[in-house]
Amino acid sequence: MWQIENKTPFSALGLPMRDKDGIEHWVIALRATFLLPPAGLPLVAEEQAPVRVAPEFAGQETAMWLREESDFAPFRPLTDVTLAGMAHPPAGRPVAHYAVSLGVAGKVKRVMVHRPRELVFGLLRDSVEMTDAPGSHPLGWFSATGGPDLFPDHDAPAVLQDDNPVGGGWFADRRRIPRRSRMVLAPFAPEDFAADSPVPAPPTAFGWIAPHWGLRRKWAGTYDAAWQASRHPLLPRDFNPLFHQAAPPDQQHALEGREPVRIDGCGDPISFALPRVVAEARTRIANQVLEQRFRLVSVAVQTETRKLTMVWNSAIACPGQDGQIEKSTVRLRLLSGIDPRQRDLLSSEVPT
């Protein structure tokens, strides 16, 4: 039961999952690891990372962040694209700021990385003081506005920024800030945000968004007495599938493979086209044989190691039959956009 015969060079694993209405689905995740050389097409890595069953979190309970999302996301509407690694200033050029850009299928997201700045709260007006040159910073949410309220109401519990609880600091109420106080501003800011603006920039970064953060939680639906009485333990009727998207909204795309990707501001430019992978699962359930094609749900790039991870899911509704799933055979129908020397991988067979 629940066996996977994996005839691909990638990692594969199957699990039963339930959708919003409690209907069982047999879900298979296919995870591929590629290397991105400075020139030429992506290479299938010799060592393939295993399928990630559960999300990986880090940090403290009050400010937990998502290191990597689960590879099982069959109900995610679009493909999540994320970056991990470091932003690096241009070599040999003193600059006040520089941009990190992520271009996918012709759509470009730019984040400005500013030099160290302090917001000074004055008697008549606030101002920004800038020092030094901009440095290197992680691409995740620690480099963005957020985290704890640095000027809290001492009669109330500490407040974390809802969309980014792990940032370097922010404030909720300007009236609570003593004159001549100083606050270090986060280096990351949206492209159109002025460096000398006397307010913190909106949170922006390239990493995963945890499900309890505001940007995702707002799609989770309403868990009230009416839900408890008529819907529990199923998800609320106003649950939105966008909750399953774990990348920032401007990093969600409809992707299939072959789309161009370009990353700047992280050292040498990284430019490639996504490999095109067409895979199918042939599954025996209760004496029936069903076929399902995989859909791309995640693309992740590690800029320091130049690694590309792509994840596909297939899902077959099997209401009341999850105990009758016998075996799925996963095969590649197409593998293109990789180094020509690896074309024979299309016929590879890798047991799981």
Side-chain angles (χ1 to χ4, degrees):
M1 187 175 72
W2 299 359
Q3 295 181 45
I4 299 290
E5 184 180 11
N6 183 13
K7 295 181 177 293
T8 82
F10 310 129
S11 300
L13 189 66
L15 287 177
M17 298 181 68
R18 293 179 183 268
D19 65 13
K20 172 182 175 178
D21 297 312
I23 297 174
E24 296 94 343
H25 292 252
W26 172 239
V27 181
I28 303 173
L30 185 66
R31 180 185 179 108
T33 306
F34 300 92
L35 306 179
L36 300 171
L41 298 174
L43 288 159
V44 176
E46 290 187 13
E47 182 177 347
Q48 292 290 311
V51 170
R52 182 172 293 283
V53 176
E56 180 184 353
F57 292 93
Q60 300 178 351
E61 183 177 352
T62 56
M64 192 173 292
W65 57 281
L66 183 60
R67 191 189 302 274
E68 189 172 355
E69 184 56 286
S70 166
D71 289 340
F72 287 88
F75 312 120
R76 181 180 293 164
L78 299 170
T79 307
D80 278 341
V81 181
T82 56
L83 292 184
M86 299 289 291
H88 295 297
R93 284 198 296 142
V95 293
H97 57 262
Y98 62 95
V100 176
S101 65
L102 168 62
V104 181
K107 298 179 180 179
V108 181
K109 171 179 179 175
R110 289 185 179 87
V111 170
M112 301 308 299
V113 185
H114 294 282
R115 67 173 63 181
R117 299 166 299 148
E118 282 192 327
L119 180 54
V120 182
F121 300 96
L123 178 62
L124 299 178
R125 64 183 182 89
D126 302 336
S127 61
V128 174
E129 292 184 1
M130 305 184 189
T131 60
D132 304 322
S136 299
H137 298 278
L139 294 172
W141 293 94
F142 291 101
S143 301
T145 298
D149 186 344
L150 298 180
F151 303 95
D153 181 351
H154 295 290
D155 297 327
V159 176
L160 296 173
Q161 213 276 349
D162 195 39
D163 287 340
N164 180 20
V166 300
W170 72 299
F171 60 87
D173 189 344
R174 171 66 182 84
R175 295 170 298 179
R176 291 203 296 261
I177 302 175
R179 298 189 187 100
R180 300 186 179 87
S181 296
R182 289 174 173 262
M183 172 184 168
V184 176
L185 294 172
F188 280 12
E191 181 182 19
D192 58 355
F193 190 85
D196 58 353
S197 178
V199 294
T204 184
F206 294 95
W208 297 101
I209 297 172
H212 61 284
W213 291 14
L215 283 171
R216 284 183 69 181
R217 193 182 66 247
K218 66 182 181 181
W219 304 116
T222 306
Y223 299 81
D224 56 10
W227 165 79
Q228 183 76 32
S230 63
R231 184 77 174 168
H232 179 270
L234 301 178
L235 292 171
R237 296 193 185 280
D238 61 347
F239 176 89
N240 191 313
L242 289 174
F243 176 81
H244 297 301
Q245 302 288 163
D250 50 8
Q251 294 171 220
Q252 301 168 13
H253 305 274
L255 304 178
E256 295 182 349
R258 296 198 186 102
E259 294 87 357
V261 177
R262 182 174 175 100
I263 301 162
D264 291 287
C266 300
D268 293 335
I270 300 175
S271 182
F272 62 96
L274 291 174
R276 173 67 167 149
V277 174
V278 178
E280 293 178 348
R282 184 180 177 89
T283 302
R284 181 176 292 277
I285 303 177
N287 297 321
Q288 297 183 73
V289 177
L290 305 174
E291 293 187 355
Q292 183 71 27
R293 181 164 288 190
F294 283 79
R295 185 175 64 87
L296 184 60
V297 298
S298 175
V299 171
V301 179
Q302 218 296 341
T303 62
E304 297 293 289
T305 59
R306 298 182 70 99
K307 279 189 177 181
L308 164 68
T309 300
M310 299 176 69
V311 177
W312 299 262
N313 280 187
S314 74
I316 299 175
C318 53
Q321 296 179 312
D322 52 315
Q324 301 179 60
I325 300 168
E326 298 177 23
K327 185 178 78 171
S328 291
T329 301
V330 181
R331 288 187 172 90
L332 292 182
R333 297 302 184 193
L334 175 68
L335 175 57
S336 65
I338 63 170
D339 190 293
R341 293 169 293 180
Q342 297 184 313
R343 293 290 167 79
D344 59 342
L345 291 174
L346 184 60
S347 58
S348 297
E349 182 171 338
V350 181
T352 54

